[in-house]
Every structure is written in C-alpha cells, then in structure tokens.
PDB file of all heavy atoms in Angstrom:
ATOM      1  N   VAL A  48     -11.575  -1.625  -7.032  1.00  0.00           N
ATOM      2  CA  VAL A  48     -10.472  -2.580  -7.038  1.00  0.00           C
ATOM      3  C   VAL A  48      -9.407  -2.082  -8.003  1.00  0.00           C
ATOM      4  O   VAL A  48      -9.666  -1.949  -9.208  1.00  0.00           O
ATOM      5  CB  VAL A  48     -10.942  -3.989  -7.448  1.00  0.00           C
ATOM      6  CG1 VAL A  48      -9.752  -4.941  -7.473  1.00  0.00           C
ATOM      7  CG2 VAL A  48     -12.027  -4.494  -6.504  1.00  0.00           C
ATOM      8  N   GLU A  49      -8.211  -1.829  -7.469  1.00  0.00           N
ATOM      9  CA  GLU A  49      -7.102  -1.374  -8.294  1.00  0.00           C
ATOM     10  C   GLU A  49      -6.281  -2.560  -8.799  1.00  0.00           C
ATOM     11  O   GLU A  49      -6.238  -3.612  -8.160  1.00  0.00           O
ATOM     12  CB  GLU A  49      -6.164  -0.450  -7.500  1.00  0.00           C
ATOM     13  CG  GLU A  49      -6.811   0.758  -6.892  1.00  0.00           C
ATOM     14  CD  GLU A  49      -7.198   0.550  -5.447  1.00  0.00           C
ATOM     15  OE1 GLU A  49      -7.409  -0.621  -5.060  1.00  0.00           O
ATOM     16  OE2 GLU A  49      -7.277   1.540  -4.695  1.00  0.00           O
ATOM     17  N   SER A  50      -5.630  -2.334  -9.916  1.00  0.00           N
ATOM     18  CA  SER A  50      -4.704  -3.320 -10.456  1.00  0.00           C
ATOM     19  C   SER A  50      -3.683  -2.603 -11.330  1.00  0.00           C
ATOM     20  O   SER A  50      -3.871  -1.434 -11.684  1.00  0.00           O
ATOM     21  CB  SER A  50      -5.442  -4.392 -11.260  1.00  0.00           C
ATOM     22  OG  SER A  50      -6.126  -3.806 -12.360  1.00  0.00           O
ATOM     23  N   GLY A  51      -2.618  -3.328 -11.664  1.00  0.00           N
ATOM     24  CA  GLY A  51      -1.647  -2.791 -12.602  1.00  0.00           C
ATOM     25  C   GLY A  51      -0.338  -2.345 -11.989  1.00  0.00           C
ATOM     26  O   GLY A  51       0.583  -1.947 -12.717  1.00  0.00           O
ATOM     27  N   GLY A  52      -0.234  -2.392 -10.656  1.00  0.00           N
ATOM     28  CA  GLY A  52       1.019  -2.003 -10.033  1.00  0.00           C
ATOM     29  C   GLY A  52       2.115  -3.013 -10.293  1.00  0.00           C
ATOM     30  O   GLY A  52       1.873  -4.101 -10.839  1.00  0.00           O
ATOM     31  N   GLY A  53       3.335  -2.643  -9.906  1.00  0.00           N
ATOM     32  CA  GLY A  53       4.440  -3.568 -10.090  1.00  0.00           C
ATOM     33  C   GLY A  53       5.767  -2.895  -9.866  1.00  0.00           C
ATOM     34  O   GLY A  53       5.833  -1.739  -9.418  1.00  0.00           O
ATOM     35  N   LEU A  54       6.813  -3.626 -10.196  1.00  0.00           N
ATOM     36  CA  LEU A  54       8.186  -3.134 -10.071  1.00  0.00           C
ATOM     37  C   LEU A  54       8.683  -2.753 -11.455  1.00  0.00           C
ATOM     38  O   LEU A  54       8.681  -3.597 -12.368  1.00  0.00           O
ATOM     39  CB  LEU A  54       9.068  -4.219  -9.463  1.00  0.00           C
ATOM     40  CG  LEU A  54      10.576  -3.950  -9.436  1.00  0.00           C
ATOM     41  CD1 LEU A  54      10.890  -2.734  -8.577  1.00  0.00           C
ATOM     42  CD2 LEU A  54      11.322  -5.182  -8.937  1.00  0.00           C
ATOM     43  N   VAL A  55       9.098  -1.513 -11.604  1.00  0.00           N
ATOM     44  CA  VAL A  55       9.605  -1.036 -12.881  1.00  0.00           C
ATOM     45  C   VAL A  55      10.882  -0.241 -12.652  1.00  0.00           C
ATOM     46  O   VAL A  55      11.205   0.132 -11.521  1.00  0.00           O
ATOM     47  CB  VAL A  55       8.575  -0.165 -13.625  1.00  0.00           C
ATOM     48  CG1 VAL A  55       7.338  -0.977 -13.976  1.00  0.00           C
ATOM     49  CG2 VAL A  55       8.217   1.071 -12.817  1.00  0.00           C
ATOM     50  N   GLN A  56      11.576   0.026 -13.738  1.00  0.00           N
ATOM     51  CA  GLN A  56      12.801   0.818 -13.668  1.00  0.00           C
ATOM     52  C   GLN A  56      12.494   2.291 -13.939  1.00  0.00           C
ATOM     53  O   GLN A  56      11.486   2.604 -14.574  1.00  0.00           O
ATOM     54  CB  GLN A  56      13.813   0.301 -14.679  1.00  0.00           C
ATOM     55  CG  GLN A  56      14.297  -1.108 -14.389  1.00  0.00           C
ATOM     56  CD  GLN A  56      15.393  -1.542 -15.337  1.00  0.00           C
ATOM     57  OE1 GLN A  56      15.554  -1.007 -16.425  1.00  0.00           O
ATOM     58  NE2 GLN A  56      16.179  -2.530 -14.913  1.00  0.00           N
ATOM     59  N   PRO A  57      13.364   3.175 -13.472  1.00  0.00           N
ATOM     60  CA  PRO A  57      13.176   4.598 -13.786  1.00  0.00           C
ATOM     61  C   PRO A  57      13.051   4.823 -15.289  1.00  0.00           C
ATOM     62  O   PRO A  57      13.793   4.228 -16.082  1.00  0.00           O
ATOM     63  CB  PRO A  57      14.440   5.244 -13.222  1.00  0.00           C
ATOM     64  CG  PRO A  57      14.853   4.330 -12.116  1.00  0.00           C
ATOM     65  CD  PRO A  57      14.513   2.952 -12.586  1.00  0.00           C
ATOM     66  N   GLY A  58      12.083   5.667 -15.639  1.00  0.00           N
ATOM     67  CA  GLY A  58      11.833   5.952 -17.042  1.00  0.00           C
ATOM     68  C   GLY A  58      10.770   5.082 -17.674  1.00  0.00           C
ATOM     69  O   GLY A  58      10.279   5.382 -18.774  1.00  0.00           O
ATOM     70  N   ASP A  59      10.414   4.008 -17.006  1.00  0.00           N
ATOM     71  CA  ASP A  59       9.390   3.095 -17.537  1.00  0.00           C
ATOM     72  C   ASP A  59       7.989   3.662 -17.362  1.00  0.00           C
ATOM     73  O   ASP A  59       7.794   4.704 -16.716  1.00  0.00           O
ATOM     74  CB  ASP A  59       9.487   1.739 -16.843  1.00  0.00           C
ATOM     75  CG  ASP A  59      10.657   0.917 -17.334  1.00  0.00           C
ATOM     76  OD1 ASP A  59      11.310   1.333 -18.306  1.00  0.00           O
ATOM     77  OD2 ASP A  59      10.934  -0.139 -16.728  1.00  0.00           O
ATOM     78  N   SER A  60       7.035   2.939 -17.899  1.00  0.00           N
ATOM     79  CA  SER A  60       5.621   3.319 -17.801  1.00  0.00           C
ATOM     80  C   SER A  60       4.809   2.205 -17.161  1.00  0.00           C
ATOM     81  O   SER A  60       5.184   1.025 -17.238  1.00  0.00           O
ATOM     82  CB  SER A  60       5.052   3.609 -19.190  1.00  0.00           C
ATOM     83  OG  SER A  60       5.711   4.704 -19.794  1.00  0.00           O
ATOM     84  N   LEU A  61       3.709   2.592 -16.557  1.00  0.00           N
ATOM     85  CA  LEU A  61       2.730   1.646 -16.013  1.00  0.00           C
ATOM     86  C   LEU A  61       1.357   2.251 -16.209  1.00  0.00           C
ATOM     87  O   LEU A  61       1.205   3.477 -16.209  1.00  0.00           O
ATOM     88  CB  LEU A  61       2.933   1.423 -14.515  1.00  0.00           C
ATOM     89  CG  LEU A  61       3.898   0.361 -14.005  1.00  0.00           C
ATOM     90  CD1 LEU A  61       3.911   0.374 -12.494  1.00  0.00           C
ATOM     91  CD2 LEU A  61       3.524  -1.015 -14.524  1.00  0.00           C
ATOM     92  N   ARG A  62       0.362   1.384 -16.336  1.00  0.00           N
ATOM     93  CA  ARG A  62      -1.021   1.854 -16.352  1.00  0.00           C
ATOM     94  C   ARG A  62      -1.772   1.177 -15.223  1.00  0.00           C
ATOM     95  O   ARG A  62      -1.871  -0.055 -15.196  1.00  0.00           O
ATOM     96  CB  ARG A  62      -1.715   1.591 -17.677  1.00  0.00           C
ATOM     97  CG  ARG A  62      -3.084   2.278 -17.732  1.00  0.00           C
ATOM     98  CD  ARG A  62      -3.785   2.120 -19.058  1.00  0.00           C
ATOM     99  NE  ARG A  62      -4.511   0.877 -19.171  1.00  0.00           N
ATOM    100  CZ  ARG A  62      -5.584   0.689 -19.936  1.00  0.00           C
ATOM    101  NH1 ARG A  62      -6.058   1.714 -20.652  1.00  0.00           N
ATOM    102  NH2 ARG A  62      -6.171  -0.486 -20.010  1.00  0.00           N
ATOM    103  N   LEU A  63      -2.275   1.979 -14.317  1.00  0.00           N
ATOM    104  CA  LEU A  63      -3.104   1.471 -13.242  1.00  0.00           C
ATOM    105  C   LEU A  63      -4.565   1.504 -13.669  1.00  0.00           C
ATOM    106  O   LEU A  63      -4.991   2.407 -14.385  1.00  0.00           O
ATOM    107  CB  LEU A  63      -2.929   2.309 -11.979  1.00  0.00           C
ATOM    108  CG  LEU A  63      -1.507   2.451 -11.440  1.00  0.00           C
ATOM    109  CD1 LEU A  63      -1.525   3.244 -10.140  1.00  0.00           C
ATOM    110  CD2 LEU A  63      -0.845   1.107 -11.255  1.00  0.00           C
ATOM    111  N   SER A  64      -5.294   0.506 -13.214  1.00  0.00           N
ATOM    112  CA  SER A  64      -6.724   0.431 -13.495  1.00  0.00           C
ATOM    113  C   SER A  64      -7.498   0.375 -12.194  1.00  0.00           C
ATOM    114  O   SER A  64      -7.030  -0.186 -11.204  1.00  0.00           O
ATOM    115  CB  SER A  64      -7.044  -0.812 -14.327  1.00  0.00           C
ATOM    116  OG  SER A  64      -6.379  -0.773 -15.574  1.00  0.00           O
ATOM    117  N   CYS A  65      -8.684   0.931 -12.224  1.00  0.00           N
ATOM    118  CA  CYS A  65      -9.586   0.890 -11.074  1.00  0.00           C
ATOM    119  C   CYS A  65     -10.948   0.463 -11.581  1.00  0.00           C
ATOM    120  O   CYS A  65     -11.566   1.165 -12.392  1.00  0.00           O
ATOM    121  CB  CYS A  65      -9.663   2.259 -10.413  1.00  0.00           C
ATOM    122  SG  CYS A  65     -10.893   2.377  -9.096  1.00  0.00           S
ATOM    123  N   ALA A  66     -11.398  -0.681 -11.105  1.00  0.00           N
ATOM    124  CA  ALA A  66     -12.708  -1.199 -11.489  1.00  0.00           C
ATOM    125  C   ALA A  66     -13.712  -0.857 -10.401  1.00  0.00           C
ATOM    126  O   ALA A  66     -13.512  -1.199  -9.231  1.00  0.00           O
ATOM    127  CB  ALA A  66     -12.632  -2.709 -11.684  1.00  0.00           C
ATOM    128  N   ALA A  67     -14.782  -0.168 -10.800  1.00  0.00           N
ATOM    129  CA  ALA A  67     -15.832   0.204  -9.852  1.00  0.00           C
ATOM    130  C   ALA A  67     -16.990  -0.755  -9.962  1.00  0.00           C
ATOM    131  O   ALA A  67     -17.289  -1.260 -11.033  1.00  0.00           O
ATOM    132  CB  ALA A  67     -16.290   1.622 -10.139  1.00  0.00           C
ATOM    133  N   SER A  68     -17.654  -1.000  -8.818  1.00  0.00           N
ATOM    134  CA  SER A  68     -18.780  -1.935  -8.800  1.00  0.00           C
ATOM    135  C   SER A  68     -19.858  -1.448  -9.751  1.00  0.00           C
ATOM    136  O   SER A  68     -20.149  -0.263  -9.835  1.00  0.00           O
ATOM    137  CB  SER A  68     -19.304  -2.081  -7.383  1.00  0.00           C
ATOM    138  OG  SER A  68     -19.623  -0.813  -6.857  1.00  0.00           O
ATOM    139  N   GLY A  69     -20.437  -2.414 -10.420  1.00  0.00           N
ATOM    140  CA  GLY A  69     -21.200  -2.167 -11.625  1.00  0.00           C
ATOM    141  C   GLY A  69     -22.570  -1.558 -11.512  1.00  0.00           C
ATOM    142  O   GLY A  69     -22.732  -0.354 -11.655  1.00  0.00           O
ATOM    143  N   ARG A  70     -23.584  -2.342 -11.241  1.00  0.00           N
ATOM    144  CA  ARG A  70     -24.944  -1.908 -11.485  1.00  0.00           C
ATOM    145  C   ARG A  70     -25.342  -0.706 -10.659  1.00  0.00           C
ATOM    146  O   ARG A  70     -26.120   0.134 -11.120  1.00  0.00           O
ATOM    147  CB  ARG A  70     -25.911  -3.058 -11.198  1.00  0.00           C
ATOM    148  CG  ARG A  70     -25.820  -4.193 -12.200  1.00  0.00           C
ATOM    149  CD  ARG A  70     -26.798  -5.271 -11.842  1.00  0.00           C
ATOM    150  NE  ARG A  70     -26.482  -5.866 -10.565  1.00  0.00           N
ATOM    151  CZ  ARG A  70     -27.270  -6.739  -9.946  1.00  0.00           C
ATOM    152  NH1 ARG A  70     -28.436  -7.072 -10.472  1.00  0.00           N
ATOM    153  NH2 ARG A  70     -26.900  -7.256  -8.791  1.00  0.00           N
ATOM    154  N   THR A  71     -24.827  -0.571  -9.447  1.00  0.00           N
ATOM    155  CA  THR A  71     -25.251   0.527  -8.593  1.00  0.00           C
ATOM    156  C   THR A  71     -24.309   1.717  -8.653  1.00  0.00           C
ATOM    157  O   THR A  71     -24.597   2.749  -8.093  1.00  0.00           O
ATOM    158  CB  THR A  71     -25.340   0.071  -7.127  1.00  0.00           C
ATOM    159  OG1 THR A  71     -24.056  -0.409  -6.730  1.00  0.00           O
ATOM    160  CG2 THR A  71     -26.358  -1.036  -6.978  1.00  0.00           C
ATOM    161  N   PHE A  72     -23.179   1.583  -9.353  1.00  0.00           N
ATOM    162  CA  PHE A  72     -22.183   2.633  -9.328  1.00  0.00           C
ATOM    163  C   PHE A  72     -22.741   3.945  -9.843  1.00  0.00           C
ATOM    164  O   PHE A  72     -22.545   4.993  -9.274  1.00  0.00           O
ATOM    165  CB  PHE A  72     -20.969   2.205 -10.139  1.00  0.00           C
ATOM    166  CG  PHE A  72     -19.874   3.215 -10.156  1.00  0.00           C
ATOM    167  CD1 PHE A  72     -19.137   3.472  -9.024  1.00  0.00           C
ATOM    168  CD2 PHE A  72     -19.573   3.912 -11.308  1.00  0.00           C
ATOM    169  CE1 PHE A  72     -18.110   4.401  -9.034  1.00  0.00           C
ATOM    170  CE2 PHE A  72     -18.556   4.846 -11.335  1.00  0.00           C
ATOM    171  CZ  PHE A  72     -17.818   5.087 -10.200  1.00  0.00           C
ATOM    172  N   ASN A  73     -23.465   3.911 -10.927  1.00  0.00           N
ATOM    173  CA  ASN A  73     -23.966   5.134 -11.542  1.00  0.00           C
ATOM    174  C   ASN A  73     -25.005   5.850 -10.690  1.00  0.00           C
ATOM    175  O   ASN A  73     -25.288   7.022 -10.920  1.00  0.00           O
ATOM    176  CB  ASN A  73     -24.537   4.843 -12.921  1.00  0.00           C
ATOM    177  CG  ASN A  73     -23.457   4.463 -13.909  1.00  0.00           C
ATOM    178  OD1 ASN A  73     -22.298   4.797 -13.729  1.00  0.00           O
ATOM    179  ND2 ASN A  73     -23.836   3.755 -14.956  1.00  0.00           N
ATOM    180  N   ARG A  74     -25.611   5.185  -9.712  1.00  0.00           N
ATOM    181  CA  ARG A  74     -26.626   5.802  -8.876  1.00  0.00           C
ATOM    182  C   ARG A  74     -26.032   6.655  -7.775  1.00  0.00           C
ATOM    183  O   ARG A  74     -26.739   7.354  -7.083  1.00  0.00           O
ATOM    184  CB  ARG A  74     -27.506   4.716  -8.247  1.00  0.00           C
ATOM    185  CG  ARG A  74     -28.272   3.900  -9.261  1.00  0.00           C
ATOM    186  CD  ARG A  74     -29.166   2.896  -8.552  1.00  0.00           C
ATOM    187  NE  ARG A  74     -29.899   2.055  -9.490  1.00  0.00           N
ATOM    188  CZ  ARG A  74     -30.732   1.104  -9.118  1.00  0.00           C
ATOM    189  NH1 ARG A  74     -30.945   0.863  -7.843  1.00  0.00           N
ATOM    190  NH2 ARG A  74     -31.357   0.378 -10.020  1.00  0.00           N
ATOM    191  N   TYR A  75     -24.747   6.598  -7.586  1.00  0.00           N
ATOM    192  CA  TYR A  75     -24.146   7.272  -6.451  1.00  0.00           C
ATOM    193  C   TYR A  75     -23.725   8.701  -6.763  1.00  0.00           C
ATOM    194  O   TYR A  75     -23.153   9.369  -5.907  1.00  0.00           O
ATOM    195  CB  TYR A  75     -22.945   6.467  -5.948  1.00  0.00           C
ATOM    196  CG  TYR A  75     -23.350   5.303  -5.076  1.00  0.00           C
ATOM    197  CD1 TYR A  75     -23.745   4.104  -5.650  1.00  0.00           C
ATOM    198  CD2 TYR A  75     -23.365   5.404  -3.702  1.00  0.00           C
ATOM    199  CE1 TYR A  75     -24.134   3.037  -4.871  1.00  0.00           C
ATOM    200  CE2 TYR A  75     -23.741   4.338  -2.903  1.00  0.00           C
ATOM    201  CZ  TYR A  75     -24.129   3.156  -3.497  1.00  0.00           C
ATOM    202  OH  TYR A  75     -24.519   2.104  -2.710  1.00  0.00           O
ATOM    203  N   ASN A  76     -23.997   9.208  -7.936  1.00  0.00           N
ATOM    204  CA  ASN A  76     -23.667  10.595  -8.293  1.00  0.00           C
ATOM    205  C   ASN A  76     -22.229  10.940  -7.936  1.00  0.00           C
ATOM    206  O   ASN A  76     -21.953  11.940  -7.259  1.00  0.00           O
ATOM    207  CB  ASN A  76     -24.632  11.563  -7.610  1.00  0.00           C
ATOM    208  CG  ASN A  76     -26.037  11.391  -8.121  1.00  0.00           C
ATOM    209  OD1 ASN A  76     -26.270  11.214  -9.313  1.00  0.00           O
ATOM    210  ND2 ASN A  76     -27.002  11.420  -7.215  1.00  0.00           N
ATOM    211  N   ILE A  77     -21.335  10.102  -8.358  1.00  0.00           N
ATOM    212  CA  ILE A  77     -19.929  10.332  -8.089  1.00  0.00           C
ATOM    213  C   ILE A  77     -19.475  11.595  -8.793  1.00  0.00           C
ATOM    214  O   ILE A  77     -19.704  11.768  -9.987  1.00  0.00           O
ATOM    215  CB  ILE A  77     -19.084   9.140  -8.560  1.00  0.00           C
ATOM    216  CG1 ILE A  77     -19.538   7.852  -7.864  1.00  0.00           C
ATOM    217  CG2 ILE A  77     -17.601   9.392  -8.330  1.00  0.00           C
ATOM    218  CD1 ILE A  77     -19.398   7.882  -6.371  1.00  0.00           C
ATOM    219  N   ARG A  78     -18.853  12.512  -8.037  1.00  0.00           N
ATOM    220  CA  ARG A  78     -18.367  13.753  -8.631  1.00  0.00           C
ATOM    221  C   ARG A  78     -16.971  13.549  -9.215  1.00  0.00           C
ATOM    222  O   ARG A  78     -16.747  13.826 -10.378  1.00  0.00           O
ATOM    223  CB  ARG A  78     -18.352  14.866  -7.581  1.00  0.00           C
ATOM    224  CG  ARG A  78     -17.862  16.194  -8.145  1.00  0.00           C
ATOM    225  CD  ARG A  78     -17.906  17.293  -7.109  1.00  0.00           C
ATOM    226  NE  ARG A  78     -17.111  17.007  -5.924  1.00  0.00           N
ATOM    227  CZ  ARG A  78     -16.773  17.928  -5.017  1.00  0.00           C
ATOM    228  NH1 ARG A  78     -17.161  19.186  -5.185  1.00  0.00           N
ATOM    229  NH2 ARG A  78     -16.067  17.597  -3.954  1.00  0.00           N
ATOM    230  N   TYR A  79     -16.065  13.105  -8.384  1.00  0.00           N
ATOM    231  CA  TYR A  79     -14.703  12.858  -8.837  1.00  0.00           C
ATOM    232  C   TYR A  79     -14.338  11.391  -8.632  1.00  0.00           C
ATOM    233  O   TYR A  79     -14.768  10.772  -7.660  1.00  0.00           O
ATOM    234  CB  TYR A  79     -13.683  13.673  -8.033  1.00  0.00           C
ATOM    235  CG  TYR A  79     -13.820  15.165  -8.115  1.00  0.00           C
ATOM    236  CD1 TYR A  79     -13.905  15.927  -6.955  1.00  0.00           C
ATOM    237  CD2 TYR A  79     -13.850  15.820  -9.339  1.00  0.00           C
ATOM    238  CE1 TYR A  79     -14.021  17.300  -7.008  1.00  0.00           C
ATOM    239  CE2 TYR A  79     -13.967  17.196  -9.409  1.00  0.00           C
ATOM    240  CZ  TYR A  79     -14.057  17.926  -8.238  1.00  0.00           C
ATOM    241  OH  TYR A  79     -14.173  19.284  -8.292  1.00  0.00           O
ATOM    242  N   MET A  80     -13.530  10.897  -9.508  1.00  0.00           N
ATOM    243  CA  MET A  80     -12.762   9.690  -9.277  1.00  0.00           C
ATOM    244  C   MET A  80     -11.312  10.130  -9.180  1.00  0.00           C
ATOM    245  O   MET A  80     -10.821  10.852 -10.047  1.00  0.00           O
ATOM    246  CB  MET A  80     -12.945   8.681 -10.414  1.00  0.00           C
ATOM    247  CG  MET A  80     -14.335   8.087 -10.491  1.00  0.00           C
ATOM    248  SD  MET A  80     -14.754   7.097  -9.053  1.00  0.00           S
ATOM    249  CE  MET A  80     -13.501   5.819  -9.140  1.00  0.00           C
ATOM    250  N   GLY A  81     -10.670   9.717  -8.111  1.00  0.00           N
ATOM    251  CA  GLY A  81      -9.314  10.189  -7.893  1.00  0.00           C
ATOM    252  C   GLY A  81      -8.319   9.074  -7.678  1.00  0.00           C
ATOM    253  O   GLY A  81      -8.685   7.949  -7.337  1.00  0.00           O
ATOM    254  N   TRP A  82      -7.068   9.418  -7.917  1.00  0.00           N
ATOM    255  CA  TRP A  82      -5.952   8.546  -7.560  1.00  0.00           C
ATOM    256  C   TRP A  82      -5.120   9.260  -6.499  1.00  0.00           C
ATOM    257  O   TRP A  82      -4.807  10.452  -6.640  1.00  0.00           O
ATOM    258  CB  TRP A  82      -5.074   8.242  -8.773  1.00  0.00           C
ATOM    259  CG  TRP A  82      -5.674   7.271  -9.732  1.00  0.00           C
ATOM    260  CD1 TRP A  82      -6.360   7.545 -10.872  1.00  0.00           C
ATOM    261  CD2 TRP A  82      -5.633   5.841  -9.625  1.00  0.00           C
ATOM    262  NE1 TRP A  82      -6.757   6.380 -11.487  1.00  0.00           N
ATOM    263  CE2 TRP A  82      -6.319   5.330 -10.748  1.00  0.00           C
ATOM    264  CE3 TRP A  82      -5.085   4.948  -8.707  1.00  0.00           C
ATOM    265  CZ2 TRP A  82      -6.464   3.951 -10.965  1.00  0.00           C
ATOM    266  CZ3 TRP A  82      -5.230   3.596  -8.925  1.00  0.00           C
ATOM    267  CH2 TRP A  82      -5.912   3.107 -10.043  1.00  0.00           C
ATOM    268  N   PHE A  83      -4.781   8.511  -5.472  1.00  0.00           N
ATOM    269  CA  PHE A  83      -3.939   9.001  -4.397  1.00  0.00           C
ATOM    270  C   PHE A  83      -2.791   8.030  -4.209  1.00  0.00           C
ATOM    271  O   PHE A  83      -2.838   6.895  -4.682  1.00  0.00           O
ATOM    272  CB  PHE A  83      -4.742   9.131  -3.096  1.00  0.00           C
ATOM    273  CG  PHE A  83      -5.799  10.191  -3.144  1.00  0.00           C
ATOM    274  CD1 PHE A  83      -7.012   9.958  -3.784  1.00  0.00           C
ATOM    275  CD2 PHE A  83      -5.589  11.426  -2.560  1.00  0.00           C
ATOM    276  CE1 PHE A  83      -7.987  10.943  -3.845  1.00  0.00           C
ATOM    277  CE2 PHE A  83      -6.561  12.422  -2.608  1.00  0.00           C
ATOM    278  CZ  PHE A  83      -7.763  12.169  -3.252  1.00  0.00           C
ATOM    279  N   ARG A  84      -1.772   8.458  -3.498  1.00  0.00           N
ATOM    280  CA  ARG A  84      -0.668   7.555  -3.200  1.00  0.00           C
ATOM    281  C   ARG A  84      -0.146   7.836  -1.797  1.00  0.00           C
ATOM    282  O   ARG A  84      -0.305   8.942  -1.268  1.00  0.00           O
ATOM    283  CB  ARG A  84       0.442   7.674  -4.241  1.00  0.00           C
ATOM    284  CG  ARG A  84       1.155   9.022  -4.281  1.00  0.00           C
ATOM    285  CD  ARG A  84       2.106   9.068  -5.460  1.00  0.00           C
ATOM    286  NE  ARG A  84       2.854  10.332  -5.509  1.00  0.00           N
ATOM    287  CZ  ARG A  84       3.653  10.677  -6.512  1.00  0.00           C
ATOM    288  NH1 ARG A  84       3.821   9.865  -7.557  1.00  0.00           N
ATOM    289  NH2 ARG A  84       4.298  11.832  -6.473  1.00  0.00           N
ATOM    290  N   GLN A  85       0.478   6.810  -1.258  1.00  0.00           N
ATOM    291  CA  GLN A  85       0.965   6.928   0.111  1.00  0.00           C
ATOM    292  C   GLN A  85       2.206   6.075   0.286  1.00  0.00           C
ATOM    293  O   GLN A  85       2.268   4.936  -0.207  1.00  0.00           O
ATOM    294  CB  GLN A  85      -0.116   6.496   1.107  1.00  0.00           C
ATOM    295  CG  GLN A  85       0.213   6.798   2.550  1.00  0.00           C
ATOM    296  CD  GLN A  85      -0.988   6.593   3.452  1.00  0.00           C
ATOM    297  OE1 GLN A  85      -1.926   5.865   3.144  1.00  0.00           O
ATOM    298  NE2 GLN A  85      -0.980   7.269   4.590  1.00  0.00           N
TER     299      GLN A  85
END
C-alpha cells in the first residue's frame, strides 16, 4: 500500500511510503523492493 503522493510545486519534495503486509512478508524472500511510475 503506497501513500504520500500529492500536488506539489517544482523544486518541492515529497516522501512516498510503501507498507508491506506484515507477518508473512519476510517469508517471501523478496529480492528487490522497487518504485515504478507511469
């Protein structure tokens, strides 16, 4: 689940967050966590 997006002006900053499901997340041997855009 992503959060933190919004409307900003050029030159501004934002921090996006991604919350991964908890108890089973570590069992999935995740290699990369990535950010993409479209």
Side-chain angles (χ1 to χ4, degrees):
V48 179
E49 303 96 335
S50 61
L54 172 63
V55 297
Q56 295 185 339
D59 284 353
S60 297
L61 273 179
R62 188 177 84 153
L63 304 183
S64 299
C65 173
S68 55
R70 291 180 296 172
T71 59
F72 181 70
N73 291 337
R74 297 183 182 180
Y75 280 83
N76 294 319
I77 302 299
R78 180 178 58 165
Y79 299 127
M80 292 295 299
W82 285 97
F83 293 79
R84 65 187 182 187
Q85 190 169 23

